[in-house]
PDB file of all heavy atoms in Angstrom:
ATOM      1  N   GLY A1436      26.759 -75.897 145.636  1.00  0.00           N
ATOM      2  CA  GLY A1436      26.356 -74.524 145.405  1.00  0.00           C
ATOM      3  C   GLY A1436      27.163 -73.518 146.204  1.00  0.00           C
ATOM      4  O   GLY A1436      27.977 -73.869 147.059  1.00  0.00           O
ATOM      5  N   ARG A1437      26.926 -72.213 145.905  1.00  0.00           N
ATOM      6  CA  ARG A1437      27.549 -71.088 146.589  1.00  0.00           C
ATOM      7  C   ARG A1437      29.079 -71.127 146.417  1.00  0.00           C
ATOM      8  O   ARG A1437      29.570 -71.364 145.359  1.00  0.00           O
ATOM      9  CB  ARG A1437      27.136 -71.032 148.053  1.00  0.00           C
ATOM     10  CG  ARG A1437      25.630 -71.156 148.302  1.00  0.00           C
ATOM     11  CD  ARG A1437      24.866 -69.945 147.859  1.00  0.00           C
ATOM     12  NE  ARG A1437      23.502 -70.004 148.369  1.00  0.00           N
ATOM     13  CZ  ARG A1437      22.442 -70.397 147.661  1.00  0.00           C
ATOM     14  NH1 ARG A1437      22.593 -70.752 146.403  1.00  0.00           N
ATOM     15  NH2 ARG A1437      21.229 -70.409 148.181  1.00  0.00           N
ATOM     16  N   GLY A1438      29.825 -70.866 147.517  1.00  0.00           N
ATOM     17  CA  GLY A1438      31.281 -70.830 147.427  1.00  0.00           C
ATOM     18  C   GLY A1438      31.784 -69.564 146.749  1.00  0.00           C
ATOM     19  O   GLY A1438      32.478 -69.629 145.734  1.00  0.00           O
ATOM     20  N   MET A1439      31.429 -68.405 147.313  1.00  0.00           N
ATOM     21  CA  MET A1439      31.878 -67.133 146.745  1.00  0.00           C
ATOM     22  C   MET A1439      32.347 -66.204 147.850  1.00  0.00           C
ATOM     23  O   MET A1439      31.931 -66.313 148.998  1.00  0.00           O
ATOM     24  CB  MET A1439      30.739 -66.438 145.987  1.00  0.00           C
ATOM     25  CG  MET A1439      30.251 -67.147 144.763  1.00  0.00           C
ATOM     26  SD  MET A1439      29.071 -66.119 143.835  1.00  0.00           S
ATOM     27  CE  MET A1439      28.145 -67.397 142.977  1.00  0.00           C
ATOM     28  N   GLN A1440      33.221 -65.304 147.471  1.00  0.00           N
ATOM     29  CA  GLN A1440      33.621 -64.219 148.359  1.00  0.00           C
ATOM     30  C   GLN A1440      33.686 -62.932 147.552  1.00  0.00           C
ATOM     31  O   GLN A1440      33.865 -62.963 146.322  1.00  0.00           O
ATOM     32  CB  GLN A1440      34.962 -64.511 149.036  1.00  0.00           C
ATOM     33  CG  GLN A1440      36.148 -64.662 148.115  1.00  0.00           C
ATOM     34  CD  GLN A1440      37.387 -65.139 148.853  1.00  0.00           C
ATOM     35  OE1 GLN A1440      37.311 -65.844 149.853  1.00  0.00           O
ATOM     36  NE2 GLN A1440      38.555 -64.746 148.357  1.00  0.00           N
ATOM     37  N   ALA A1441      33.526 -61.813 148.251  1.00  0.00           N
ATOM     38  CA  ALA A1441      33.473 -60.536 147.533  1.00  0.00           C
ATOM     39  C   ALA A1441      33.999 -59.412 148.407  1.00  0.00           C
ATOM     40  O   ALA A1441      33.858 -59.431 149.633  1.00  0.00           O
ATOM     41  CB  ALA A1441      32.035 -60.230 147.102  1.00  0.00           C
ATOM     42  N   LYS A1442      34.610 -58.448 147.752  1.00  0.00           N
ATOM     43  CA  LYS A1442      34.926 -57.179 148.394  1.00  0.00           C
ATOM     44  C   LYS A1442      34.023 -56.133 147.767  1.00  0.00           C
ATOM     45  O   LYS A1442      34.062 -55.901 146.551  1.00  0.00           O
ATOM     46  CB  LYS A1442      36.386 -56.789 148.193  1.00  0.00           C
ATOM     47  CG  LYS A1442      36.730 -55.458 148.860  1.00  0.00           C
ATOM     48  CD  LYS A1442      38.196 -55.088 148.679  1.00  0.00           C
ATOM     49  CE  LYS A1442      38.496 -53.745 149.344  1.00  0.00           C
ATOM     50  NZ  LYS A1442      39.917 -53.346 149.173  1.00  0.00           N
ATOM     51  N   VAL A1443      33.181 -55.532 148.591  1.00  0.00           N
ATOM     52  CA  VAL A1443      32.192 -54.567 148.112  1.00  0.00           C
ATOM     53  C   VAL A1443      32.494 -53.201 148.711  1.00  0.00           C
ATOM     54  O   VAL A1443      32.728 -53.079 149.914  1.00  0.00           O
ATOM     55  CB  VAL A1443      30.758 -54.994 148.493  1.00  0.00           C
ATOM     56  CG1 VAL A1443      29.735 -54.012 147.911  1.00  0.00           C
ATOM     57  CG2 VAL A1443      30.474 -56.407 148.002  1.00  0.00           C
ATOM     58  N   THR A1444      32.522 -52.182 147.870  1.00  0.00           N
ATOM     59  CA  THR A1444      32.702 -50.804 148.321  1.00  0.00           C
ATOM     60  C   THR A1444      31.531 -49.971 147.847  1.00  0.00           C
ATOM     61  O   THR A1444      31.148 -50.033 146.672  1.00  0.00           O
ATOM     62  CB  THR A1444      34.012 -50.208 147.785  1.00  0.00           C
ATOM     63  OG1 THR A1444      35.119 -50.960 148.295  1.00  0.00           O
ATOM     64  CG2 THR A1444      34.165 -48.753 148.207  1.00  0.00           C
ATOM     65  N   MET A1445      30.949 -49.216 148.764  1.00  0.00           N
ATOM     66  CA  MET A1445      29.860 -48.306 148.433  1.00  0.00           C
ATOM     67  C   MET A1445      30.256 -46.887 148.812  1.00  0.00           C
ATOM     68  O   MET A1445      30.835 -46.660 149.885  1.00  0.00           O
ATOM     69  CB  MET A1445      28.574 -48.684 149.187  1.00  0.00           C
ATOM     70  CG  MET A1445      27.953 -49.991 148.758  1.00  0.00           C
ATOM     71  SD  MET A1445      26.416 -50.332 149.675  1.00  0.00           S
ATOM     72  CE  MET A1445      25.892 -51.843 148.856  1.00  0.00           C
ATOM     73  N   GLY A1446      29.969 -45.945 147.930  1.00  0.00           N
ATOM     74  CA  GLY A1446      30.215 -44.543 148.193  1.00  0.00           C
ATOM     75  C   GLY A1446      28.910 -43.786 148.347  1.00  0.00           C
ATOM     76  O   GLY A1446      27.947 -44.029 147.604  1.00  0.00           O
ATOM     77  N   PHE A1447      28.853 -42.872 149.308  1.00  0.00           N
ATOM     78  CA  PHE A1447      27.630 -42.126 149.604  1.00  0.00           C
ATOM     79  C   PHE A1447      27.918 -40.627 149.603  1.00  0.00           C
ATOM     80  O   PHE A1447      29.026 -40.195 149.929  1.00  0.00           O
ATOM     81  CB  PHE A1447      27.080 -42.528 150.978  1.00  0.00           C
ATOM     82  CG  PHE A1447      26.683 -43.969 151.075  1.00  0.00           C
ATOM     83  CD1 PHE A1447      27.606 -44.940 151.450  1.00  0.00           C
ATOM     84  CD2 PHE A1447      25.391 -44.368 150.787  1.00  0.00           C
ATOM     85  CE1 PHE A1447      27.248 -46.272 151.531  1.00  0.00           C
ATOM     86  CE2 PHE A1447      25.025 -45.698 150.868  1.00  0.00           C
ATOM     87  CZ  PHE A1447      25.953 -46.654 151.244  1.00  0.00           C
ATOM     88  N   ASP A1448      26.892 -39.839 149.254  1.00  0.00           N
ATOM     89  CA  ASP A1448      27.017 -38.395 149.344  1.00  0.00           C
ATOM     90  C   ASP A1448      26.565 -37.943 150.736  1.00  0.00           C
ATOM     91  O   ASP A1448      26.177 -38.769 151.579  1.00  0.00           O
ATOM     92  CB  ASP A1448      26.228 -37.713 148.220  1.00  0.00           C
ATOM     93  CG  ASP A1448      24.725 -37.860 148.359  1.00  0.00           C
ATOM     94  OD1 ASP A1448      24.242 -38.285 149.429  1.00  0.00           O
ATOM     95  OD2 ASP A1448      23.996 -37.540 147.383  1.00  0.00           O
ATOM     96  N   PRO A1449      26.605 -36.648 151.043  1.00  0.00           N
ATOM     97  CA  PRO A1449      26.230 -36.198 152.395  1.00  0.00           C
ATOM     98  C   PRO A1449      24.800 -36.539 152.798  1.00  0.00           C
ATOM     99  O   PRO A1449      24.496 -36.610 153.994  1.00  0.00           O
ATOM    100  CB  PRO A1449      26.443 -34.683 152.329  1.00  0.00           C
ATOM    101  CG  PRO A1449      27.483 -34.499 151.278  1.00  0.00           C
ATOM    102  CD  PRO A1449      27.198 -35.545 150.242  1.00  0.00           C
ATOM    103  N   ASP A1450      23.919 -36.788 151.826  1.00  0.00           N
ATOM    104  CA  ASP A1450      22.536 -37.140 152.141  1.00  0.00           C
ATOM    105  C   ASP A1450      22.325 -38.649 152.216  1.00  0.00           C
ATOM    106  O   ASP A1450      21.184 -39.116 152.263  1.00  0.00           O
ATOM    107  CB  ASP A1450      21.585 -36.561 151.088  1.00  0.00           C
ATOM    108  CG  ASP A1450      21.566 -35.042 151.114  1.00  0.00           C
ATOM    109  OD1 ASP A1450      21.685 -34.475 152.220  1.00  0.00           O
ATOM    110  OD2 ASP A1450      21.455 -34.427 150.033  1.00  0.00           O
ATOM    111  N   ALA A1451      23.421 -39.392 152.214  1.00  0.00           N
ATOM    112  CA  ALA A1451      23.380 -40.864 152.277  1.00  0.00           C
ATOM    113  C   ALA A1451      22.796 -41.494 151.020  1.00  0.00           C
ATOM    114  O   ALA A1451      22.288 -42.619 151.055  1.00  0.00           O
ATOM    115  CB  ALA A1451      22.633 -41.342 153.521  1.00  0.00           C
ATOM    116  N   SER A1452      22.867 -40.779 149.906  1.00  0.00           N
ATOM    117  CA  SER A1452      22.487 -41.382 148.627  1.00  0.00           C
ATOM    118  C   SER A1452      23.672 -42.166 148.078  1.00  0.00           C
ATOM    119  O   SER A1452      24.817 -41.702 148.116  1.00  0.00           O
ATOM    120  CB  SER A1452      22.075 -40.299 147.625  1.00  0.00           C
ATOM    121  OG  SER A1452      20.898 -39.653 148.051  1.00  0.00           O
ATOM    122  N   LEU A1453      23.386 -43.344 147.575  1.00  0.00           N
ATOM    123  CA  LEU A1453      24.419 -44.212 147.030  1.00  0.00           C
ATOM    124  C   LEU A1453      24.878 -43.659 145.684  1.00  0.00           C
ATOM    125  O   LEU A1453      24.078 -43.541 144.745  1.00  0.00           O
ATOM    126  CB  LEU A1453      23.869 -45.633 146.871  1.00  0.00           C
ATOM    127  CG  LEU A1453      24.796 -46.709 146.335  1.00  0.00           C
ATOM    128  CD1 LEU A1453      26.003 -46.916 147.251  1.00  0.00           C
ATOM    129  CD2 LEU A1453      24.033 -48.034 146.181  1.00  0.00           C
ATOM    130  N   THR A1454      26.152 -43.318 145.592  1.00  0.00           N
ATOM    131  CA  THR A1454      26.663 -42.696 144.369  1.00  0.00           C
ATOM    132  C   THR A1454      27.534 -43.615 143.533  1.00  0.00           C
ATOM    133  O   THR A1454      27.662 -43.421 142.329  1.00  0.00           O
ATOM    134  CB  THR A1454      27.473 -41.431 144.723  1.00  0.00           C
ATOM    135  OG1 THR A1454      28.560 -41.802 145.591  1.00  0.00           O
ATOM    136  CG2 THR A1454      26.587 -40.401 145.402  1.00  0.00           C
ATOM    137  N   VAL A1455      28.151 -44.617 144.152  1.00  0.00           N
ATOM    138  CA  VAL A1455      29.055 -45.491 143.415  1.00  0.00           C
ATOM    139  C   VAL A1455      29.163 -46.817 144.151  1.00  0.00           C
ATOM    140  O   VAL A1455      29.058 -46.883 145.382  1.00  0.00           O
ATOM    141  CB  VAL A1455      30.451 -44.841 143.257  1.00  0.00           C
ATOM    142  CG1 VAL A1455      31.102 -44.594 144.613  1.00  0.00           C
ATOM    143  CG2 VAL A1455      31.356 -45.688 142.359  1.00  0.00           C
ATOM    144  N   LEU A1456      29.350 -47.869 143.377  1.00  0.00           N
ATOM    145  CA  LEU A1456      29.546 -49.206 143.946  1.00  0.00           C
ATOM    146  C   LEU A1456      30.624 -49.926 143.159  1.00  0.00           C
ATOM    147  O   LEU A1456      30.665 -49.851 141.919  1.00  0.00           O
ATOM    148  CB  LEU A1456      28.248 -50.007 143.897  1.00  0.00           C
ATOM    149  CG  LEU A1456      28.289 -51.468 144.375  1.00  0.00           C
ATOM    150  CD1 LEU A1456      26.982 -51.851 145.067  1.00  0.00           C
ATOM    151  CD2 LEU A1456      28.548 -52.442 143.214  1.00  0.00           C
ATOM    152  N   THR A1457      31.499 -50.609 143.867  1.00  0.00           N
ATOM    153  CA  THR A1457      32.432 -51.526 143.222  1.00  0.00           C
ATOM    154  C   THR A1457      32.336 -52.876 143.920  1.00  0.00           C
ATOM    155  O   THR A1457      32.092 -52.956 145.132  1.00  0.00           O
ATOM    156  CB  THR A1457      33.887 -51.036 143.274  1.00  0.00           C
ATOM    157  OG1 THR A1457      34.336 -51.012 144.637  1.00  0.00           O
ATOM    158  CG2 THR A1457      34.020 -49.663 142.648  1.00  0.00           C
ATOM    159  N   ALA A1458      32.494 -53.931 143.149  1.00  0.00           N
ATOM    160  CA  ALA A1458      32.452 -55.280 143.706  1.00  0.00           C
ATOM    161  C   ALA A1458      33.441 -56.156 142.967  1.00  0.00           C
ATOM    162  O   ALA A1458      33.473 -56.165 141.734  1.00  0.00           O
ATOM    163  CB  ALA A1458      31.043 -55.863 143.601  1.00  0.00           C
ATOM    164  N   GLU A1459      34.254 -56.848 143.738  1.00  0.00           N
ATOM    165  CA  GLU A1459      35.179 -57.846 143.199  1.00  0.00           C
ATOM    166  C   GLU A1459      34.755 -59.200 143.751  1.00  0.00           C
ATOM    167  O   GLU A1459      34.889 -59.471 144.942  1.00  0.00           O
ATOM    168  CB  GLU A1459      36.613 -57.520 143.613  1.00  0.00           C
ATOM    169  CG  GLU A1459      37.089 -56.155 143.135  1.00  0.00           C
ATOM    170  CD  GLU A1459      38.404 -55.753 143.782  1.00  0.00           C
ATOM    171  OE1 GLU A1459      39.061 -56.624 144.406  1.00  0.00           O
ATOM    172  OE2 GLU A1459      38.757 -54.568 143.705  1.00  0.00           O
ATOM    173  N   ILE A1460      34.219 -60.042 142.874  1.00  0.00           N
ATOM    174  CA  ILE A1460      33.657 -61.330 143.278  1.00  0.00           C
ATOM    175  C   ILE A1460      34.571 -62.445 142.807  1.00  0.00           C
ATOM    176  O   ILE A1460      34.995 -62.472 141.650  1.00  0.00           O
ATOM    177  CB  ILE A1460      32.249 -61.525 142.690  1.00  0.00           C
ATOM    178  CG1 ILE A1460      31.321 -60.408 143.158  1.00  0.00           C
ATOM    179  CG2 ILE A1460      31.682 -62.888 143.056  1.00  0.00           C
ATOM    180  CD1 ILE A1460      29.965 -60.422 142.469  1.00  0.00           C
ATOM    181  N   GLU A1461      34.869 -63.350 143.722  1.00  0.00           N
ATOM    182  CA  GLU A1461      35.622 -64.557 143.383  1.00  0.00           C
ATOM    183  C   GLU A1461      34.744 -65.758 143.668  1.00  0.00           C
ATOM    184  O   GLU A1461      34.175 -65.873 144.757  1.00  0.00           O
ATOM    185  CB  GLU A1461      36.915 -64.623 144.198  1.00  0.00           C
ATOM    186  CG  GLU A1461      37.867 -63.482 143.902  1.00  0.00           C
ATOM    187  CD  GLU A1461      39.055 -63.459 144.848  1.00  0.00           C
ATOM    188  OE1 GLU A1461      39.122 -64.333 145.755  1.00  0.00           O
ATOM    189  OE2 GLU A1461      39.912 -62.559 144.709  1.00  0.00           O
ATOM    190  N   ALA A1462      34.619 -66.631 142.682  1.00  0.00           N
ATOM    191  CA  ALA A1462      33.724 -67.780 142.795  1.00  0.00           C
ATOM    192  C   ALA A1462      34.512 -69.071 142.626  1.00  0.00           C
ATOM    193  O   ALA A1462      35.312 -69.214 141.698  1.00  0.00           O
ATOM    194  CB  ALA A1462      32.629 -67.705 141.729  1.00  0.00           C
ATOM    195  N   ASP A1463      34.269 -70.007 143.521  1.00  0.00           N
ATOM    196  CA  ASP A1463      34.883 -71.331 143.461  1.00  0.00           C
ATOM    197  C   ASP A1463      34.079 -72.182 142.489  1.00  0.00           C
ATOM    198  O   ASP A1463      32.938 -72.537 142.766  1.00  0.00           O
ATOM    199  CB  ASP A1463      34.877 -71.942 144.869  1.00  0.00           C
ATOM    200  CG  ASP A1463      35.558 -73.302 144.916  1.00  0.00           C
ATOM    201  OD1 ASP A1463      35.880 -73.864 143.855  1.00  0.00           O
ATOM    202  OD2 ASP A1463      35.751 -73.815 146.041  1.00  0.00           O
ATOM    203  N   MET A1464      34.685 -72.530 141.352  1.00  0.00           N
ATOM    204  CA  MET A1464      33.979 -73.320 140.350  1.00  0.00           C
ATOM    205  C   MET A1464      34.384 -74.779 140.361  1.00  0.00           C
ATOM    206  O   MET A1464      33.815 -75.581 139.616  1.00  0.00           O
ATOM    207  CB  MET A1464      34.174 -72.713 138.960  1.00  0.00           C
ATOM    208  CG  MET A1464      33.558 -71.331 138.855  1.00  0.00           C
ATOM    209  SD  MET A1464      33.408 -70.707 137.193  1.00  0.00           S
ATOM    210  CE  MET A1464      32.333 -69.279 137.487  1.00  0.00           C
ATOM    211  N   GLY A1465      35.351 -75.133 141.193  1.00  0.00           N
ATOM    212  CA  GLY A1465      35.763 -76.521 141.253  1.00  0.00           C
ATOM    213  C   GLY A1465      36.700 -76.875 140.124  1.00  0.00           C
ATOM    214  O   GLY A1465      37.244 -76.018 139.425  1.00  0.00           O
ATOM    215  N   ALA A1466      36.894 -78.175 139.933  1.00  0.00           N
ATOM    216  CA  ALA A1466      37.922 -78.645 139.006  1.00  0.00           C
ATOM    217  C   ALA A1466      37.500 -78.557 137.543  1.00  0.00           C
ATOM    218  O   ALA A1466      38.355 -78.440 136.661  1.00  0.00           O
ATOM    219  CB  ALA A1466      38.298 -80.082 139.350  1.00  0.00           C
ATOM    220  N   TYR A1467      36.200 -78.648 137.272  1.00  0.00           N
ATOM    221  CA  TYR A1467      35.700 -78.642 135.896  1.00  0.00           C
ATOM    222  C   TYR A1467      34.427 -77.811 135.826  1.00  0.00           C
ATOM    223  O   TYR A1467      33.873 -77.400 136.848  1.00  0.00           O
ATOM    224  CB  TYR A1467      35.392 -80.069 135.419  1.00  0.00           C
ATOM    225  CG  TYR A1467      36.537 -81.034 135.497  1.00  0.00           C
ATOM    226  CD1 TYR A1467      36.631 -81.948 136.557  1.00  0.00           C
ATOM    227  CD2 TYR A1467      37.524 -81.064 134.520  1.00  0.00           C
ATOM    228  CE1 TYR A1467      37.671 -82.852 136.633  1.00  0.00           C
ATOM    229  CE2 TYR A1467      38.584 -81.972 134.586  1.00  0.00           C
ATOM    230  CZ  TYR A1467      38.650 -82.851 135.650  1.00  0.00           C
ATOM    231  OH  TYR A1467      39.684 -83.744 135.727  1.00  0.00           O
ATOM    232  N   LEU A1468      33.950 -77.624 134.600  1.00  0.00           N
ATOM    233  CA  LEU A1468      32.734 -76.854 134.374  1.00  0.00           C
ATOM    234  C   LEU A1468      31.617 -77.752 133.869  1.00  0.00           C
ATOM    235  O   LEU A1468      31.750 -78.379 132.808  1.00  0.00           O
ATOM    236  CB  LEU A1468      32.977 -75.739 133.352  1.00  0.00           C
ATOM    237  CG  LEU A1468      34.029 -74.688 133.707  1.00  0.00           C
ATOM    238  CD1 LEU A1468      34.146 -73.677 132.574  1.00  0.00           C
ATOM    239  CD2 LEU A1468      33.707 -73.994 135.016  1.00  0.00           C
ATOM    240  N   TYR A1469      30.533 -77.833 134.642  1.00  0.00           N
ATOM    241  CA  TYR A1469      29.274 -78.316 134.087  1.00  0.00           C
ATOM    242  C   TYR A1469      28.716 -77.217 133.189  1.00  0.00           C
ATOM    243  O   TYR A1469      29.183 -76.074 133.183  1.00  0.00           O
ATOM    244  CB  TYR A1469      28.273 -78.606 135.210  1.00  0.00           C
ATOM    245  CG  TYR A1469      28.441 -79.921 135.920  1.00  0.00           C
ATOM    246  CD1 TYR A1469      29.373 -80.073 136.940  1.00  0.00           C
ATOM    247  CD2 TYR A1469      27.644 -81.015 135.591  1.00  0.00           C
ATOM    248  CE1 TYR A1469      29.513 -81.280 137.618  1.00  0.00           C
ATOM    249  CE2 TYR A1469      27.764 -82.226 136.260  1.00  0.00           C
ATOM    250  CZ  TYR A1469      28.697 -82.353 137.275  1.00  0.00           C
ATOM    251  OH  TYR A1469      28.833 -83.545 137.934  1.00  0.00           O
TER     252      TYR A1469
END
Side-chain angles (χ1 to χ4, degrees):
R1437 312 289 192 260
M1439 294 188 205
Q1440 62 188 29
K1442 180 179 179 181
V1443 183
T1444 298
M1445 292 181 176
F1447 298 89
D1448 68 12
D1450 294 325
S1452 294
L1453 181 61
T1454 59
V1455 62
L1456 176 145
T1457 65
E1459 301 169 13
I1460 301 172
E1461 297 172 359
D1463 183 351
M1464 296 193 168
Y1467 303 100
L1468 299 179
Y1469 280 82

